[in-house]
Amino acid sequence: MEKDLMRENDLQQWLKLARQEVAKGSLPNYIPLLAQADPQAIAIAIQKVNGDHLMAGDTELTFPLMSVIKPFLLLYLLETKGAEQVFQLVDRQATSEPFNAISKGKPKNSMINSGAIALSSLLESCETLQNWLNQRSCTNLTLDLEILASVRSVANRRNLAIADQLKNLGIISNPRKALAVYEEICCLRGNVQDLAKIGTLLVYAQRSSSIPIVLEVMTECGMYESSAEFAQDIGVPSKSSISGALLSIIPDQAAISCYSPALDATGNSVSGLFLIRKIKNYVLGLGREES
């Protein structure tokens, strides 16, 4: 009990320090409701595979998952459609291009918008992925209709162009449906515990041949243009999101989820990055945080 209390105190101290990082970031301004988020909101959850969990901060606060849903779109389709069908539509290569680049050919990976929109064409609906995640993880992800309306209130010409280009390339046949499903899965909403729980689907690589594939793509492509630097510096499979969500996987150990909406220039949560640095070794049981 004393050890658990010490860890709780550690988390509270790290959250206090992480809040000081907020001033280094800013809220995204191209989705109206995301621009209205409280920049001081912050939460973290650590979900271990043995069932132990630890949370701190604004743990009841819910947020749209946005791009952090992408690894689970890939996992679901690998599990249900198979790798051959999935990789007919999207590659698994790292890229230095922006996340919203318009593909000149097959999308480089499923963590960028073109790859996720292509894969969304394989979903019957948002509910398909939503129900699968909720049943597998005992979560209650819901579709946030307000944020979905906010996303659609300003026509995303870039994503429309991406979807049309995918059709022109013969990768998808119905760009409007693929884009609609993509927007909906990005607007699935939960709290940090929900995100950590679905994250545990990726912790045990030996459970499925699909999991190492997803972890590899996360490691190489999950943090936008800073993915290579993050992989070298932090070294754990991770996925960030413009909502301020951040998920990191410690293989065979735990899933760590953070939420803090202020982003750096690349689109990663500044406080989330700070917390992952602090907590990685702690979760591994090395007895100290990352310096």
Side-chain angles (χ1 to χ4, degrees), residues 169-220:
L169 292 167
I171 294 172
I172 64 176
S173 59
N174 189 335
R176 294 301 179 269
K177 181 184 177 186
L179 183 56
V181 172
Y182 169 72
E183 290 170 342
E184 289 171 5
I185 65 173
C186 286
C187 292
L188 290 175
R189 189 178 191 94
N191 58 31
V192 282
Q193 187 174 25
D194 292 321
L195 182 54
K197 282 182 174 181
I198 65 174
T200 60
L201 296 177
L202 293 167
V203 171
Y204 271 142
Q206 63 270 32
R207 185 185 64 79
S208 164
S209 60
S210 304
I211 294 174
I213 296 173
V214 178
L215 294 179
E216 176 188 344
V217 174
M218 288 175 70
T219 300
E220 296 183 355

Side-chain angles (χ1 to χ4, degrees), residues 54-235:
L54 195 60
M55 297 186 295
D58 303 311
T59 55
E60 297 301 315
L61 186 66
T62 61
F63 47 87
L65 300 184
M66 305 306 284
S67 286
V68 83
I69 197 68
K70 291 175 180 175
F72 302 100
L73 172 63
L74 177 59
L75 177 65
Y76 171 77
L77 292 173
L78 287 171
E79 296 273 271
T80 59
K81 304 289 187 182
E84 182 177 353
Q85 186 172 354
V86 167
F87 294 119
Q88 284 177 350
L89 301 188
V90 64
D91 224 323
R92 46 196 287 192
Q93 301 176 10
T95 178
S96 59
E97 295 178 349
F99 70 94
N100 61 352
I102 299 174
S103 295
K104 297 176 181 176
K106 182 193 290 188
K108 295 292 187 184
N109 61 72
S110 52
M111 299 298 110
I112 57 178
N113 287 10
S114 59
I117 292 169
L119 290 187
S120 294
S121 71
L122 296 176
L123 283 182
E124 292 298 321
S125 67
C126 169
E127 288 83 1
T128 306
L129 180 60
Q130 178 185 356
N131 293 338
W132 187 78
L133 288 172
N134 282 337
Q135 291 166 8
R136 295 284 295 273
S137 307
C138 297
T139 51
N140 186 32
L141 301 179
T142 59
L143 178 57
D144 186 335
L145 295 176
E146 287 190 15
I147 195 71
L148 180 61
S150 186
V151 166
R152 292 174 173 170
S153 68
V154 181
N156 191 327
R157 299 185 185 278
R158 175 67 63 159
N159 279 348
L160 287 170
I162 288 171
D164 286 338
Q165 174 72 342
L166 291 171
K167 181 183 180 182
N168 294 337
L169 292 167
I171 294 172
I172 64 176
S173 59
N174 189 335
R176 294 301 179 269
K177 181 184 177 186
L179 183 56
V181 172
Y182 169 72
E183 290 170 342
E184 289 171 5
I185 65 173
C186 286
C187 292
L188 290 175
R189 189 178 191 94
N191 58 31
V192 282
Q193 187 174 25
D194 292 321
L195 182 54
K197 282 182 174 181
I198 65 174
T200 60
L201 296 177
L202 293 167
V203 171
Y204 271 142
Q206 63 270 32
R207 185 185 64 79
S208 164
S209 60
S210 304
I211 294 174
I213 296 173
V214 178
L215 294 179
E216 176 188 344
V217 174
M218 288 175 70
T219 300
E220 296 183 355
C221 315
M223 302 295 289
Y224 302 118
E225 296 100 301
S226 63
S227 295
E229 179 184 355
F230 182 88
Q232 184 174 11
D233 187 22
I234 308 297

Side-chain angles (χ1 to χ4, degrees), residues 15 18-19 22 27 36-44 56-59 61-63 192 243-245 258-262 269-272 275:
L15 280 180
R19 279 195 173 93
V22 167
L27 297 177
Q36 297 175 25
D38 178 4
Q40 290 295 322
I42 191 168
I44 185 166
D58 303 311
T59 55
L61 186 66
T62 61
F63 47 87
V192 282
S243 68
C258 308
Y259 171 71
S260 178
S269 169
V270 289
S271 295
L275 287 169

